[in-house]
Amino acid sequence: MLVDSGAITEEQLQAALAGQKATGKRLGTYLIDEGVITEKQFVETLRMQLGVEFIDLNKASIDPTLTEIVPKDTARTYRLIPVKLEGNNLYIAMEDPMNFRAVEAVRQMTGRRVIPMIAYYDAITRALSVLYENEGAARAIEQMKEEQTTVTVDDLSDEMAANDDETAAPTVKLVNSLIERAIAEKASDIHFEPYEKEMKVRIRVDGRLNTMMDVPRELQNSVISRLKVMAGMNITERRIPQDGRAVVKRQDGTQVDLRLNTLPTIFGEKVVIRILMREMNTLNRHAIGITERDNERFDRILKNSAGILLIVGPTGSGKTSTLYTMIHELIDETVNIISLEDPVEFQIAGVTQVAINEKTGLTFASALRSCLRQDPDIICVGEIRDGETAEIAMRAAMTGHLVLSTIHTEDAISAIDRLRDMGAEPYLIAGSLRGVISQRLVRKVCPNCKMPVKPDPFTLSLIGMQDDGTVYYKGKGCERCFGSGFRGRTGVFEILAINAELRDAISEGKNGSELRRYLAKTGFTSMIENGRDLVRQGETTPEELLKVIPTIE
Ligand SMILES: [Zn+2]
């Protein structure tokens, strides 16, 4: 059939049939994986030749109750999605509608006439996750729909509905199960986004947004009202943005802090929840990605009893995790550690934590001045954003305190330039700076769908590597990783201990490119080298590394 349509040649077909037998893959999957045809060609051929309808699952709205007709196990085993039920006709989306065994299994189990449709692999993966990983939420939605009928009859307003215990129960269940799943997925944020036809719920995992589920439009107001009640916001005010906080207790007894805020949009209020808990026990050198090679350097800069240690990188590069890890290692009953944070992400026993609040005038600079009167040994400044904070921090470092902080710049040398731009004198920088850690976060290949791949030589060359026969890995995309092929992230570091020569160069006011030339001669392990190790170990992909480290030396 594929041969007839001209998509592949007879020889390719014979080779594929042999290869398919050896690998145990289905023919279509084998051809696509081997790059003989594209998925689009495959879908198009089947559509033309078999007359199977194509369905774009990313746009289709699927009734969650269909999960009761086709249970999770069956859907996962055969990778199929129940799309709609019309009379006795059950439409199911599959990558390969010629998988008659799957069709037969569904027919026998449901007793319905099964009509296969074709869909893309990624879209099926995503739909499996959206439809089957939110069972608690889906049940709550059903309950809400049933009970809402009663509410409409009584003609209650949305606000009253949200406050009415009977009606609130399923809403509470829905909201709780969405938050619970987001925390379980280690998401940093949850977005409740109203659109014309439904409200999308997306979560940010490993820095990227993934759709968790679609909530029917008619339930939008009760969900938003519930979130606003949780956060102590005014639920009748829908035209201006609001901020609030909430604490949720998890089933295992742990508490999670949430920051909520609303934004009025054309389809109603959008709510974004920031999840503030990260497990303290996941924060250690190994977990954040410090390599064996960098261990000693990390020790060396942490052994300073005075001076400034800076962590630099763009937004979302994991600076805060590194900062917390360093604080954690420095905790000792014999020292006074004061930490100025905006916001305080979690509490650390043994550290005096201060929440910076610029609105009330408690800025980094003013808090830093006050804390110097509190007899500190180690001071942690969440971020150096202005010249005043930089100056006080450096003077504190010169007078015998160890100061840890972060700066939003590309790399170690740019941090020195940045301090100078803020008005810091070169002698002050040279005198106080002891170490700089630059970092990026790369996504790790999903262990659940990891597979060996042939690397693209051009991408390899861009990160300064060549195909030397090493086996490289990538994730194919599965429901555990929202089809992205990545799960979790790790840091890629560059640790610079300031030595006497570099100190002299800084105090002489040498510029960025001169300092870089000097650094190149000292032979320290750069971020890209650490990144290449991760690629070689199959922990990440060349493409991912290239994304976070755009320039090579
Ligand atoms: Zn995966």
Side-chain angles (χ1 to χ4, degrees):
M1 187 168 58
L2 287 158
V3 178
D4 289 347
S5 69
I8 60 170
T9 64
E10 183 64 36
E11 291 82 69
Q12 281 175 318
L13 178 67
Q14 291 309 328
L17 284 170
Q20 172 213 3
K21 278 210 188 85
T23 55
K25 287 180 187 171
R26 297 194 56 81
L27 182 61
T29 318
Y30 182 83
L31 289 169
I32 295 162
D33 284 353
E34 289 297 303
V36 178
I37 52 167
T38 65
E39 187 174 22
K40 201 165 170 229
Q41 281 175 321
F42 182 69
V43 166
E44 194 52 24
T45 308
L46 291 191
R47 203 176 66 80
M48 301 286 286
Q49 307 263 336
L50 293 180
V52 181
E53 286 293 322
F54 169 76
I55 177 165
D56 184 351
L57 288 175
N58 290 328
K59 295 202 180 115
S61 153
I62 297 169
D63 184 350
T65 51
L66 288 172
T67 58
E68 281 158 28
I69 299 175
V70 179
K72 186 169 170 175
D73 286 348
T74 312
R76 277 191 161 186
T77 310
Y78 297 112
R79 291 187 47 84
L80 50 83
I81 300 293
V83 178
K84 61 179 172 187
L85 185 64
E86 277 178 3
N88 198 39
N89 291 346
L90 175 63
Y91 292 80
I92 55 170
M94 307 161 71
E95 299 152 54
D96 181 358
M98 291 185 303
N99 186 348
F100 302 112
R101 210 155 58 90
V103 172
E104 184 54 23
V106 177
R107 189 190 66 79
Q108 283 195 1
M109 191 178 56
T110 61
R112 315 227 177 221
R113 185 162 166 253
V114 175
I115 301 169
M117 300 175 87
I118 188 163
Y120 287 131
Y121 178 91
D122 289 350
I124 290 182
T125 304
R126 178 187 161 276
L128 279 173
S129 154
V130 170
L131 209 55
Y132 286 98
E133 298 301 318
N134 299 300
E135 284 162 309
R139 263 197 305 277
I141 285 182
E142 275 324 293
Q143 222 176 329
M144 279 167 80
K145 273 186 175 164
E146 277 163 27
E147 295 188 6
Q148 213 189 26
T149 341
T150 349
V151 175
T152 338
V153 173
D154 293 341
D155 197 33
L156 286 171
S157 73
D158 296 321
E159 284 86 355
M160 289 169 75
N163 284 330
D164 178 35
D165 277 345
E166 289 251 302
T167 327
T171 316
V172 170
K173 256 186 246 165
L174 172 62
V175 167
N176 288 356
S177 80
L178 290 171
I179 294 174
E180 185 65 34
R181 166 133 194 253
I183 295 169
E185 298 283 358
K186 298 192 167 53
S188 58
D189 306 82
I190 316 174
H191 293 231
F192 294 83
E193 306 168 296
Y195 288 103
E196 197 179 354
K197 296 204 177 102
E198 78 278 297
M199 178 169 66
K200 274 206 174 317
V201 183
R202 298 197 289 171
I203 53 176
R204 190 176 292 280
V205 178
D206 298 338
R208 280 158 213 245
L209 284 170
N210 298 285
T211 300
M212 190 152 68
M213 82 181 305
D214 294 340
V215 173
R217 183 84 165 93
E218 64 266 29
L219 306 179
Q220 177 184 317
N221 284 341
S222 13
V223 171
I224 298 293
S225 295
R226 168 63 194 156
L227 291 169
K228 288 165 77 178
V229 168
M230 272 175 67
M233 296 174 185
N234 177 354
I235 60 169
T236 57
E237 179 54 80
R238 296 172 169 179
R239 290 152 307 174
I240 55 168
Q242 296 186 61
D243 293 313
R245 290 166 181 226
V247 178
V248 293
K249 263 208 188 79
R250 299 189 67 193
Q251 277 156 359
D252 63 6
T254 53
Q255 292 197 340
V256 181
D257 285 328
L258 307 176
R259 299 283 170 92
L260 295 87
N261 59 75
T262 67
L263 183 70
T265 76
I266 51 171
F267 296 120
E269 285 169 292
K270 168 170 176 163
V271 176
V272 175
I273 305 181
R274 167 137 271 226
I275 302 173
L276 283 185
M277 188 207 63
R278 273 174 303 170
E279 297 150 51
M280 195 66 196
N281 57 20
T282 64
L283 286 183
N284 59 60
R285 288 182 195 207
H286 179 71
I288 63 170
I290 298 285
T291 60
E292 285 296 310
R293 196 161 53 195
D294 278 339
N295 237 336
E296 195 215 311
R297 259 193 215 97
F298 195 76
D299 274 337
R300 203 189 311 155
I301 68 167
L302 268 185
K303 286 235 161 68
N304 285 290
S305 56
I308 285 199
L309 306 181
L310 287 179
I311 305 162
V312 307
T315 306
S317 56
K319 297 191 291 287
T320 312
S321 296
T322 306
L323 192 61
Y324 275 117
T325 305
M326 292 169 84
I327 297 174
H328 207 235
E329 292 207 9
L330 290 167
I331 293 174
D332 182 332
E333 275 184 13
T334 63
V335 293
N336 176 15
I337 307 180
I338 305 180
S339 174
L340 314 177
E341 300 169 38
D342 182 19
V344 173
E345 301 213 4
F346 50 84
Q347 292 154 10
I348 318 169
V351 177
T352 305
Q353 292 172 283
V354 179
I356 294 302
N357 189 338
E358 308 250 339
K359 276 185 207 151
T360 64
L362 188 64
T363 61
F364 275 117
S366 66
L368 188 49
R369 252 192 222 103
S370 310
C371 94
L372 281 170
R373 293 192 285 269
Q374 294 255 318
D375 182 30
D377 297 293
I378 298 168
I379 306 165
C380 173
V381 182
E383 189 183 351
I384 294 181
R385 294 177 190 151
D386 57 89
E388 194 187 0
T389 310
E391 171 111 18
I392 311 169
M394 284 186 283
R395 293 206 182 278
M398 299 252 297
T399 53
H401 303 98
L402 181 63
V403 180
L404 311 180
S405 191
T406 72
I407 288 197
H408 185 120
T409 59
E410 289 288 305
D411 58 26
I413 302 296
S414 326
I416 296 169
D417 280 346
R418 183 74 202 284
L419 286 171
R420 228 181 266 152
D421 292 345
M422 287 179 185
E425 295 290 342
Y427 81 89
L428 205 52
I429 304 173
S432 57
L433 197 60
R434 289 290 176 275
V436 187
I437 297 181
S438 322
Q439 71 174 97
R440 295 288 188 280
L441 285 177
V442 291
R443 291 180 298 162
K444 291 183 359 188
V445 173
C446 171
N448 192 41
C449 59
K450 196 171 183 171
M451 61 172 201
V453 281
K454 295 188 203 94
D456 169 42
F458 181 63
T459 312
L460 277 181
S461 73
L462 289 177
I463 54 168
M465 293 174 78
Q466 25 178 282
D467 190 0
D468 53 3
T470 315
V471 184
Y472 294 84
Y473 291 91
K474 73 166 208 178
K476 185 174 164 68
C478 67
E479 58 269 41
R480 291 296 310 133
C481 58
F482 296 93
S484 68
F486 294 98
R487 189 81 186 144
R489 289 186 291 183
T490 189
V492 188
F493 295 91
E494 190 169 275
I495 301 179
L496 175 65
I498 310 283
N499 61 15
E501 282 170 272
L502 196 54
R503 188 153 51 232
D504 290 346
I506 297 170
S507 75
E508 283 161 24
K510 291 253 191 322
N511 68 27
S513 52
E514 284 173 299
L515 291 175
R516 263 189 201 93
R517 263 199 301 281
Y518 171 82
L519 253 193
K521 277 187 279 176
T522 65
F524 90 122
T525 321
S526 68
M527 207 184 294
I528 187 102
E529 284 171 62
N530 283 327
R532 283 185 205 125
D533 284 350
L534 286 176
V535 172
R536 263 181 225 114
Q537 292 154 10
E539 288 281 317
T540 193
T541 66
E543 291 77 14
E544 176 70 7
L545 182 62
L546 191 61
K547 233 178 264 165
V548 299
I549 306 175
T551 48
I552 63 167
E553 67 269 38

